Amino acid sequence: MESTPLLARPKKKSIWSRLAFSRFRKRELSSRVIYVGQLPEEEYPPNYVCNQKYNIITFLPLVLFEQFSFFLNLYFLVMALSQFIPSIRIGYLYTYWGPLCFVLAVTLFREAVDDFRRYRRDREVNRQRYERIALDLPANDYRPFITERVSASALRVGDIVMLHKGQRVPADMILLRTNETMGTVFIRTDQLDGEIDWKLRIPLPSTQKLPTDAHLLDIHAQLFIEKPEKDIHSFIGTCTRLDDEESDSLDIENTLWSGCVVASGQATGLVIYTGSETRSVMNNAVPRSKVGRLDLQINDLTKVLFVATLFISFLMIVLKGFDGPWYGFLFRFVLLFSYIIPISLRVNLDMGKAFYSWTIQRDKAIEGTVMRSTTIPEELGRIQYLLADKTGTLTKNEMVFQKLHLGNALFDNRNFHEVEAYLTQYITKGTHSTPISPMDEGDGARGPSPRSVWRAVLALALCHNVTPVYEVDDQRADEAQSDMGSSVMSESCGGAVPQQQLCDYQAASPDEVALVKWTDMMGVSLYRRDLHNISLKLRAANEIMQFNILQIFPFTSETKMMGIIVQEESSGEITYYVKGADVSLAPLLAPGWLRPQCALLAADGLRTLVVAGRTLTRNQYLEFESEYKEARLSVTNRNERTAAAMSKLHCGLTLLALTGVEDRLADDVPRTLAMLRTAGIKIWMLTGDKLETALCIARSLHLGGGARWLVAPDCGSRRDAYALLHSLEQADDRTDLVIEGETLEVCLRLFPEQMVEVLRRCSGVVVARCSPTQKARVARLLRAKRLVVAAVGDGGNDVAMIQEADIGVGIEGAEGRAASLAGDVSVRAFAQLARLLLVHGRRAATRSAALCLFIVHRGLIVSTMQAVFSVVFYFSSVSLYPGFLMVGYGTVFTMLPVFSLVLDKDISSATALRYPQLYKQLTKGRQLSYKTFCIWIGISIYQGGVIMYGALVLFEDQLIHIVEISYTALILTELIMVALTVVTWHRLMVLAELVSLLMYTATLLIFTTYFDADFIRHWDFWWKVITITVVSCLPLYIVKYMHRKWSNRQYKNIRT
């Protein structure tokens, strides 16, 4: 055990001060200074994860408040509360409180289960144990180096935590040390940014060189940390060794963000942000609460029914006269007609949505599909616009190196063997070890020389962040010691031995892996890599080339390039290699063949990458290193000063090569797109690739289906945007448009309404160089036009678009699960969308519409009967049926047959996929339009009037006979109406009809209080009931028969 001098420990604050801070003060985000081995005096948020919506005290009040914020529930609460007033009481309390309590009980149970699941997940995360260095031991002369295991929720800013392979990072940290022999650590960030490729993280040089973790308490180091930010791709800070006068700049490569997972070795980190200040929590913006179009329509219809209830009640008072306490009678009439608004509507629809989600997940044809949002499955049947990402969505995100262009030669799959031959010729002559600069000119202009091929392949083999990963012998790895002074065998190539077998390459981009695999095929293999060295194995000479890594410049979305400075050990030559997008590198290179060849490769659908290089003298490098380090250590304007230093490095670059990598198309995507276009869905592709590549992919996919593709010119001013809008307005409606994200941004900023209308007229739209923010804005603008928008993507950069759309579809792809977890629906491939929308979406929309109309019909028909009864009996505000019968009517006797409509199928799955044009009818919303609603109102009024007047005409001598005849005819009418509505019978539908009929028959015989048993057994009862039922249903059967005959003639080639 080692002991170190005790650092000053700040005095603990009182419990009251902590409570006062947390409860009554709102902390402002600010930068901070942390000393290694010492806890800061400032108070920071606790590292406690809490995703619960409620606690024991707030659960009931908050859930009830949310439920009664819905007009329907609030309406029935008022109706139920009114029954405590004797003067306006209609019947028994359970008549109103029973259905309301049932609805609330279902909601409370669902919310309780969901919140308890969130509580268990939070508890599991908060209770995860981590090893940290004890910093708050009792004060004495020396503090021993002691580690302790604590829960994640107990971690504080300033704690030093040791993480092992496979552990989740519990808080935002700075990487201080690692036991990896290569001096770096790999992490997985798929739960943070959606990318599954391992990321390389580098410890601080001043702490990595320490012998053990115990020596972290010996140093006097000060870290300046920027204020908490949301950006997970950038970080600014500095580390100063006050006892050694050494300074390091802190960057994103030195960080371990909360939610990441250590993929290899052991990492020791310093906690800098906790709880709500961590990057993961700050980026967990609450997604917009999505409400389906069906729910909005039902809400509007409910308000119409409420107005109708008030109108009928007021009309009754007008006819009755305003004598006496008329307002009391008015309220009683409102209570009597309250069944016009059925409380069971939301319960049945929610149960239906759960059933639709269950059937989608059980469909073996789209196996792996998960409905993460069960509240809007019917929206899948009303999609008008589909916004799709390209890479990983329409393509496989499987990169294959296809072409290498050297200016005077083009190599592809047909002649890659020539590249290997050139390399063999160059290597076997030994020229790679001579001091001749690889940047020297003098190659033959008529064709490539071995040296030009060598320097292009060498640049590709060196300029990357790829690390080879080797298989590790489990027994030897177990015998390796832990980090208290000795190092373990590394899983990466940095500590590999020659007899180990190469397992895979790890990189932040699949493009880089494709390039390295291709150089390996050509005979220049990436053999070893660590923080400071790269080893290349030359197959032709069976030799190893050693390079020292002097600087690495990671790829950023701003620069769109990645660079590296290496020094060959044998010759001492220093070379700067850079690769990136043509838009970034072309201005830095001499004009020539680059731009036209980029356009040609992009026209072939390839992702292009420009490779360039420059030889540096020792003095040039030292001068750049000094200026670059000074810029990196600056806290203010770091990016600007760094860019200025890099601009000097970019002077004198030589173009080495142009590469083309293919991103292969996903399976069955062209056929799926054709089906969706036939279904009337407009498909827009939003991608970050360059315009030429996006256009080629769109053409190969037949994305637009228009007569021609129109490429929009660049716009930088209002005049340019206006000219573009004018030209697009003159274009044909069958025109497909390709536009860059910057141009679209200018047009949307200056002319948002006009631009959206122009885009809607196009048969297909492709937006190239589109940022995640622009993707989300496009979805938002389309939704503002009351259009139903779906978005599909597979990466973390698609999450904003997915959350903004009406329906977000996430694909579990090579870029991780961020999009899949954020989506309302998760699928495994884009091709599954056809069945998801055309079959399941169509059925969910039609079934929900039918279920809604039928439940409204069920309430309207009984309210019509109540109105007729009140009019006939001198506007009496007396209920027609006892409370027991009213509750049974909406539950026991009709619930199962009505809900069985969710099993109905108007056409088969094969027919829906064979004729996608049937989907167009749903996008117009005619299944639940005001026209359809009025038709069902008419049916309800007709049937209710026939049943009630029929019972009155056939009335004999007792009022109870009216109840028996009308109620029995009402139940039979509902069962027959369900049968008339069904298109395709299911065995459960038949069972529901029979069970309901048997239960009502048993009720007639058992409950003699409500029914006259002698009269029921008499023939007079049955012929009157049958007559009334036939008169109420026969005309509707005739109308429906004629309608089906007409539909069969119209769709005789479709319906099967």
Side-chain angles (χ1 to χ4, degrees):
M1 180 183 298
E2 299 185 25
S3 60
T4 56
L6 180 65
L7 295 175
R9 177 74 178 92
K11 183 180 179 180
K12 289 186 178 181
K13 295 187 177 183
S14 65
I15 297 178
W16 168 250
S17 64
R18 294 174 182 268
L19 288 176
F21 175 86
S22 60
R23 296 296 181 187
F24 303 109
R25 298 179 187 175
K26 183 178 180 181
R27 178 177 177 83
E28 294 184 1
L29 301 180
S30 60
S31 58
R32 62 199 63 181
V33 175
I34 302 175
Y35 292 89
V36 176
Q38 181 177 354
L39 297 175
E41 294 183 5
E42 294 82 0
E43 294 287 347
Y44 296 103
N47 196 47
Y48 185 78
V49 177
C50 182
N51 294 305
Q52 291 176 254
K53 295 174 61 178
Y54 321 101
N55 55 40
I56 297 178
I57 299 175
T58 63
F59 173 71
L60 195 60
L62 288 180
V63 174
L64 293 179
F65 175 79
E66 291 178 0
Q67 289 304 304
F68 291 126
S69 62
F70 288 98
F71 174 78
L72 191 65
N73 290 343
L74 181 61
Y75 171 77
F76 274 97
L77 175 64
V78 174
M79 297 296 104
L81 290 174
S82 68
Q83 294 305 288
F84 290 107
I85 304 175
S87 60
I88 59 175
R89 181 179 299 171
I90 297 296
Y92 296 104
L93 290 177
Y94 67 80
T95 306
Y96 290 89
W97 282 100
L100 180 62
C101 290
F102 174 76
V103 172
L104 294 178
V106 171
T107 303
L108 288 169
F109 177 76
R110 183 181 62 194
E111 290 290 333
V113 170
D114 291 344
D115 210 51
F116 182 71
R117 289 174 178 172
R118 286 189 287 265
Y119 163 74
R120 288 198 303 180
R121 289 195 297 266
D122 292 345
R123 183 180 61 180
E124 180 181 353
V125 172
N126 290 323
R127 289 187 176 182
Q128 287 181 352
R129 310 292 288 181
Y130 291 91
E131 186 178 3
R132 75 176 179 188
I133 299 176
L135 300 178
D136 49 0
L137 297 176
N140 50 42
D141 293 337
Y142 291 97
R143 175 173 52 185
F145 178 84
I146 297 177
T147 61
E148 56 184 354
R149 295 190 64 83
V150 297
S151 61
S153 59
L155 295 178
R156 306 151 298 183
V157 172
D159 275 334
I160 300 176
V161 183
M162 287 172 282
L163 302 172
H164 302 276
K165 177 184 176 182
Q167 276 193 311
R168 182 188 68 89
V169 180
D172 288 354
M173 300 183 183
I174 292 294
L175 181 59
L176 299 178
R177 294 193 69 254
T178 177
N179 68 341
E180 289 279 80
T181 55
M182 67 176 291
T184 58
V185 170
F186 281 106
I187 62 172
R188 298 200 310 267
T189 62
D190 53 309
Q191 297 302 318
L192 187 63
D193 58 10
E195 299 178 1
I196 63 172
D197 298 294
W198 291 8
K199 305 295 192 305
L200 191 69
R201 289 296 181 261
I202 303 172
L204 297 181
S206 57
T207 53
Q208 175 63 21
K209 65 183 181 182
L210 298 175
T212 65
D213 284 347
H215 289 80
L216 289 171
L217 301 181
D218 293 332
I219 65 174
H220 191 196
Q222 170 187 288
L223 275 72
F224 173 80
I225 307 299
E226 69 172 353
K227 70 176 183 178
E229 300 284 353
K230 294 181 63 176
D231 188 3
I232 63 174
H233 301 294
S234 66
F235 176 75
I236 294 177
T238 58
C239 176
T240 304
R241 286 282 303 272
L242 302 178
D243 53 354
D244 201 15
E245 296 185 356
E246 182 179 356
S247 297
D248 298 320
S249 63
L250 302 181
D251 203 349
I252 183 64
E253 293 184 339
N254 308 119
T255 61
L256 301 173
W257 295 145
S258 173
C260 301
V261 176
V262 178
S264 63
Q266 175 181 304
T268 301
L270 175 70
V271 177
I272 58 173
Y273 303 124
T274 54
S276 60
E277 293 183 345
T278 60
R279 291 294 204 269
S280 59
V281 174
M282 294 183 71
N283 280 277
N284 281 343
V286 178
R288 142 183 107 78
S289 180
K290 298 184 179 180
V291 180
R293 293 296 193 278
L294 181 73
D295 294 323
L296 296 176
Q297 286 180 302
I298 290 174
N299 190 50
D300 293 338
L301 296 179
T302 302
K303 294 176 182 178
V304 172
L305 293 175
F306 176 69
V307 173
T309 302
L310 293 179
F311 175 76
I312 296 174
S313 301
F314 187 75
L315 182 62
M316 289 291 178
I317 293 298
V318 172
L319 296 176
K320 179 182 178 64
F322 293 92
D323 299 329
W326 60 269
Y327 47 86
F329 291 115
L330 175 63
F331 203 86
R332 286 177 63 88
F333 278 121
V334 172
L335 290 171
L336 287 175
F337 299 136
S338 61
Y339 287 97
I340 292 179
I341 307 176
I343 193 173
S344 60
L345 179 58
R346 284 192 61 229
V347 177
N348 281 271
L349 287 177
D350 288 344
M351 292 171 59
K353 291 175 181 180
F355 174 75
Y356 308 145
S357 302
W358 180 73
T359 55
I360 289 173
Q361 295 181 163
R362 289 188 71 252
D363 190 347
K364 294 183 178 180
I366 51 174
E367 191 173 2
T369 301
V370 179
M371 285 294 300
R372 303 195 185 278
S373 176
T374 60
T375 59
I376 49 175
E378 66 279 344
E379 291 296 280
L380 294 170
R382 305 180 67 173
I383 302 301
Q384 296 170 287
Y385 283 82
L386 178 64
L387 309 181
D389 178 43
K390 182 185 77 67
T391 305
T393 301
L394 302 178
T395 60
K396 290 183 177 180
N397 202 18
E398 294 179 2
M399 307 301 175
V400 180
F401 191 96
Q402 292 290 2
K403 292 185 179 182
L404 175 69
H405 206 299
L406 301 181
N408 53 9
L410 176 64
F411 300 97
D412 56 19
N413 287 323
R414 295 169 296 180
N415 59 352
F416 275 156
H417 62 277
E418 297 180 13
V419 175
E420 189 173 3
Y422 279 119
L423 293 174
T424 302
Q425 180 183 352
Y426 181 83
I427 292 172
T428 53
K429 289 182 179 180
T431 52
H432 68 278
S433 59
T434 63
I436 299 177
S437 169
M439 298 301 129
D440 288 343
E441 299 297 332
D443 295 335
R446 297 182 180 179
S449 66
R451 187 167 72 250
S452 65
V453 175
W454 161 254
R455 64 190 192 187
V457 176
L458 182 63
L460 294 175
L462 291 172
C463 187
H464 53 72
N465 266 320
V466 181
T467 302
V469 178
Y470 288 82
E471 294 179 352
V472 178
D473 189 335
D474 293 337
Q475 182 178 358
R476 293 175 63 189
D478 293 338
E479 293 173 356
Q481 302 196 6
S482 62
D483 174 56
M484 286 307 297
S486 62
S487 60
V488 302
M489 182 184 302
S490 171
E491 288 188 358
S492 58
C493 184
V497 292
Q499 61 265 29
Q500 286 180 313
Q501 297 297 317
L502 178 64
C503 180
D504 197 5
Y505 291 109
Q506 287 296 341
S509 169
D511 300 71
E512 289 197 328
V513 174
L515 297 177
V516 172
K517 286 184 176 180
W518 180 81
T519 61
D520 180 43
M521 291 172 55
M522 296 301 103
V524 182
S525 304
L526 177 61
Y527 180 59
R528 294 184 180 181
R529 177 170 187 152
D530 58 29
L531 188 59
H532 305 290
N533 301 282
I534 292 182
S535 300
L536 300 180
K537 184 175 182 180
L538 308 181
R539 187 167 60 234
N542 196 24
E543 295 179 355
I544 302 295
M545 288 188 69
Q546 300 285 351
F547 294 87
N548 297 324
I549 301 175
L550 302 181
Q551 297 286 347
I552 295 180
F553 312 103
F555 175 87
T556 63
S557 57
E558 291 80 15
T559 62
K560 295 184 173 63
M561 63 179 70
M562 178 265 171
I564 188 172
I565 299 179
V566 296
Q567 182 180 33
E568 186 182 355
E569 286 191 356
S570 59
S571 64
E573 186 175 63
I574 300 175
T575 309
Y576 169 54
Y577 293 109
V578 62
K579 69 174 186 228
D582 60 304
V583 294
S584 300
L585 279 175
L588 306 177
L589 302 170
W593 56 269
L594 178 60
R595 290 190 183 276
Q597 293 302 326
C598 273
L600 291 176
L601 293 185
D604 292 335
L606 302 179
R607 297 161 64 97
T608 58
L609 206 62
V610 180
V611 184
R614 175 192 175 189
T615 300
L616 301 174
T617 64
R618 183 69 180 174
N619 291 334
Q620 286 176 330
Y621 172 71
L622 292 176
E623 181 182 353
F624 164 77
E625 182 186 33
S626 176
E627 184 177 354
Y628 183 73
K629 184 176 181 180
E630 182 181 352
R632 299 283 296 164
L633 288 174
S634 63
V635 177
T636 59
N637 299 323
R638 173 184 288 189
N639 294 334
E640 291 77 4
R641 297 184 63 181
T642 303
M646 292 297 299
S647 64
K648 297 180 180 179
L649 188 63
H650 291 152
C651 296
L653 286 175
T654 301
L655 178 60
L656 297 180
L658 174 66
T659 65
V661 178
E662 177 191 10
D663 188 3
R664 293 181 173 174
L665 298 180
D667 298 333
D668 291 331
V669 168
R671 183 178 65 88
T672 303
L673 292 175
M675 294 175 64
L676 296 179
R677 281 198 310 272
T678 306
I681 301 174
K682 288 192 174 184
I683 304 166
W684 293 8
M685 185 173 75
L686 312 179
T687 177
D689 279 348
K690 60 175 60 68
L691 187 144
E692 294 82 4
T693 303
L695 178 58
C696 180
I697 294 294
R699 283 173 173 165
S700 62
L701 291 172
H702 305 288
L703 183 68
R708 65 188 181 95
W709 284 96
L710 176 63
V711 179
D714 294 338
C715 293
S717 63
R718 175 179 290 270
R719 178 177 297 179
D720 295 339
Y722 181 79
L724 174 60
L725 281 174
H726 182 71
S727 63
L728 293 177
E729 289 173 352
Q730 304 299 322
D732 186 14
D733 289 346
R734 287 178 50 79
T735 299
D736 298 323
L737 177 65
V738 183
I739 186 172
E740 288 202 344
E742 293 182 1
T743 301
L744 179 64
E745 183 69 24
V746 172
C747 295
L748 290 177
R749 186 177 67 251
L750 298 175
F751 308 101
E753 297 294 331
Q754 298 89 324
M755 191 62 190
V756 173
E757 290 299 325
V758 167
L759 294 176
R760 288 183 58 192
R761 288 179 52 197
C762 299
S763 58
V765 175
V766 173
V767 183
R769 304 288 191 188
C770 189
S771 67
T773 305
Q774 290 170 343
K775 292 181 180 181
R777 187 177 182 187
V778 170
R780 191 181 308 115
L781 289 172
L782 288 176
R783 286 183 47 249
K785 294 291 183 179
R786 298 186 178 274
L787 300 169
V788 184
V789 181
V792 54
D794 73 315
N797 59 338
D798 301 317
V799 170
M801 175 180 66
I802 287 173
Q803 292 181 341
E804 187 62 40
D806 293 296
I807 280 285
V809 182
I811 297 178
E812 292 189 20
E815 294 187 29
R817 300 187 62 202
S820 171
L821 295 173
D824 303 300
V825 190
S826 172
V827 297
R828 290 184 177 177
F830 183 85
Q832 294 181 339
L833 279 182
R835 186 174 182 86
L836 182 66
L837 300 183
L838 304 183
V839 177
H840 292 286
R842 187 179 187 280
R843 286 177 179 171
T846 55
R847 290 168 174 175
S848 292
L851 185 63
C852 174
L853 291 172
F854 214 95
I855 293 174
V856 171
H857 164 267
R858 189 173 62 184
L860 277 172
I861 189 173
V862 72
S863 296
T864 302
M865 295 172 63
Q866 177 66 55
V868 173
F869 176 80
S870 296
V871 170
V872 171
F873 287 92
Y874 307 102
F875 305 102
S876 173
S877 57
V878 177
S879 178
L880 171 61
Y881 300 121
F884 169 77
L885 296 183
M886 291 302 297
V887 174
Y889 170 69
T891 55
V892 179
F893 304 139
T894 62
M895 183 180 68
L896 291 179
V898 171
F899 186 72
S900 69
L901 291 174
V902 300
L903 301 171
D904 194 16
K905 300 177 183 178
D906 58 342
I907 56 175
S908 65
S909 302
T911 304
L913 294 173
R914 190 180 306 118
Y915 302 99
Q917 56 268 34
L918 294 174
Y919 187 88
K920 289 182 180 180
Q921 301 174 345
L922 304 179
T923 59
K924 299 177 182 178
R926 293 177 179 174
Q927 285 72 22
L928 196 59
S929 62
Y930 279 103
K931 177 183 176 181
T932 309
F933 180 65
C934 291
I935 291 175
W936 277 87
I937 289 179
I939 293 174
S940 303
I941 294 175
Y942 167 76
Q943 291 185 324
V946 167
I947 295 173
M948 197 65 236
Y949 277 110
L952 291 172
V953 169
L954 300 177
F955 164 73
E956 288 191 355
D957 54 354
Q958 295 185 17
L959 180 63
I960 192 175
H961 293 171
I962 297 179
V963 174
E964 295 164 349
I965 295 174
S966 62
Y967 193 78
T968 305
L970 176 64
I971 297 297
L972 293 178
T973 298
E974 284 298 305
L975 298 180
I976 293 175
M977 284 296 294
V978 171
L980 292 178
T981 305
V982 172
V983 178
T984 304
W985 282 92
H986 190 278
R987 60 179 180 272
L988 292 179
M989 292 179 170
V990 179
L991 181 62
E993 292 268 333
L994 294 176
V995 168
S996 298
L997 188 60
L998 290 175
M999 292 180 69
Y1000 180 66
T1001 303
T1003 303
L1004 288 175
L1005 300 176
I1006 296 174
F1007 292 90
T1008 56
T1009 306
Y1010 301 100
F1011 304 104
D1012 186 351
D1014 295 333
F1015 180 66
I1016 290 174
R1017 297 189 185 97
H1018 200 274
W1019 170 245
D1020 285 348
F1021 170 76
W1022 291 108
W1023 78 261
K1024 291 176 181 179
V1025 169
I1026 293 173
T1027 301
I1028 294 173
T1029 305
V1030 169
V1031 173
S1032 67
C1033 295
L1034 184 60
L1036 298 177
Y1037 172 76
I1038 296 173
V1039 171
K1040 185 169 184 177
Y1041 176 79
M1042 297 299 295
H1043 177 71
R1044 283 192 176 181
K1045 292 290 290 183
W1046 178 81
S1047 298
N1048 287 333
R1049 290 181 59 187
Q1050 188 177 15
Y1051 301 106
K1052 60 182 179 180
N1053 294 325
I1054 295 180
R1055 191 176 296 277
T1056 56

